[in-house]
Amino acid sequence: MEAEKNSDDDGGPLLRASLLEEALGVERIYIDYEGRNPTGTHKDRIARAHVEKAINEGYSAVTVGTCGNYGVSIAYYARLYGLKAFVFVPAGYTLERAGEMKALGAEVIPWPGTYEDAVKESRRFAMANGIYDANPGSHPEVDYAGYSSIAEDILREIKPDAVFVPVGNGTTLAGIWHGFRGRANPRMVGVTTALGNELLRKFYGDPRREIAETPVNEPLVSEISFDLDEAMRAVKESNGYVFGFADDTALRCAELLRVTTGLSVLPASALTVAGLIKFARKFGIREGNFVLVLTGGVHGGESTGAYGGALSYDGWKNSARTRAVLGKV
């Protein structure tokens, strides 16, 4: 992964998902494909902003607690701008991207416990050693400004009626809404795991705090959502909604996206497709501009060159596999 300061990480143009529209019976579906960012995820938008803030404030190192993607983004931009990165990771997680963090020069520190425990230790480490703290909730203004750029990208092309966002801490959802506020009023729909997320619990008034972490839902599981209040505010102000789904649905949605768009996406973010299906069924809304925010696969963004002709019209019509996948979502 070559580090270049002129990397194009503004997300690029929206992709029209025509075959997915046909499959779901929805008028217009657009994809904000964050897989084209340097490390393949939307986390690049805030990682760069945090590293630049760290440099401007005179720091020589940056730290974060992460279960994967954010750690790679911080490692990438720290290397790009000449800072040392200390990345705390929950020791029991899958951590498929730990090798990338190390290859980018980050010191990866396994920490016992949950993701929230890794974040807590990273914050303590930052305070004890005079290191810039890039963790969620430490500099929310930076996070919201970074994710506001997703809203700006969308508004350059369309006026959305609903935007579907994968939710862990709620930071991305809150940041995108900050970008829309005062300029547009799409319904913000948070989509997450049904196996433990604080925003989902609060939205439905569920007092239970049990969580079940899996390799599929790690990006979404959140015992403590660091931007809970702002994410809830985004949902309420926009007349939005929050949906939760199981892992098997995430895997089916990732497959559905692959066969209809040619994109390889993280299954956790593919749940936005399930959110759109549930939204259309629940509210009876199938007309308008619907935007799915999607992150690339585990090892970064895949080429989008195959997007336009991933499947021919006849191929779609005759694809028993695709119809079977869609029937299970």
Side-chain angles (χ1 to χ4, degrees), residues 216-238:
V216 172
N217 74 15
E218 282 175 0
L220 304 176
V221 164
S222 178
E223 184 178 2
I224 301 173
S225 296
F226 295 109
D227 281 291
L228 174 66
D229 291 340
E230 281 298 302
M232 183 60 71
R233 179 184 177 191
V235 172
K236 295 296 186 182
E237 287 185 352
S238 68

Side-chain angles (χ1 to χ4, degrees), residues 260-329:
T260 57
T261 69
L263 298 177
S264 174
V265 305
L266 199 66
S269 76
L271 277 177
T272 54
V273 175
L276 172 57
I277 294 171
K278 197 75 172 286
F279 178 87
R281 289 173 180 169
K282 181 175 181 64
F283 298 106
I285 300 174
R286 296 181 179 273
E287 296 182 354
N289 294 325
F290 302 95
V291 179
L292 309 179
V293 177
L294 299 175
T295 276
V298 169
H299 300 295
E302 304 288 338
S303 168
T304 59
Y307 179 83
L311 287 174
S312 69
Y313 182 82
D314 288 337
W316 164 255
K317 285 294 187 183
N318 296 324
S319 174
R321 182 183 183 191
T322 300
R323 290 197 300 272
V325 169
L326 177 60
K328 294 179 181 178
V329 173

Side-chain angles (χ1 to χ4, degrees), residues 85-197:
F86 296 90
V87 181
F88 288 77
V89 297
Y93 275 40
T94 309
L95 302 174
E96 293 179 281
R97 305 198 72 179
E100 293 174 77
M101 300 176 207
K102 294 175 182 178
L104 288 165
E107 183 172 337
V108 178
I109 306 167
W111 197 257
T114 65
Y115 159 71
E116 288 81 8
D117 292 326
V119 170
K120 183 178 180 180
E121 181 57 23
S122 174
R123 285 177 170 164
R124 187 205 64 78
F125 183 78
M127 184 174 295
N129 295 279
I131 292 173
Y132 180 87
D133 181 357
N135 284 290
S138 296
H139 301 281
E141 74 285 354
V142 177
D143 295 327
Y144 300 157
Y147 287 140
S148 287
S149 62
I150 293 178
E152 293 166 5
D153 288 347
I154 293 170
L155 288 173
R156 276 197 289 268
E157 298 191 40
I158 63 167
K159 183 177 180 181
D161 293 286
V163 179
F164 298 79
V165 184
V167 171
N169 283 317
T171 311
T172 310
L173 180 70
I176 295 175
W177 179 241
H178 272 255
F180 282 129
R181 189 181 286 124
R183 305 166 64 189
N185 191 39
R187 298 176 75 165
M188 300 298 298
V189 182
V191 185
T192 189
T193 176
L195 303 181
N197 181 277

Side-chain angles (χ1 to χ4, degrees), residues 18 24 50 56 93 105 118 186 193 200 253 259 264 300 323 326:
S18 301
L24 303 185
H50 279 292
N56 291 337
Y93 275 40
T193 176
L200 184 71
C253 287
V259 297
S264 174
R323 290 197 300 272
L326 177 60

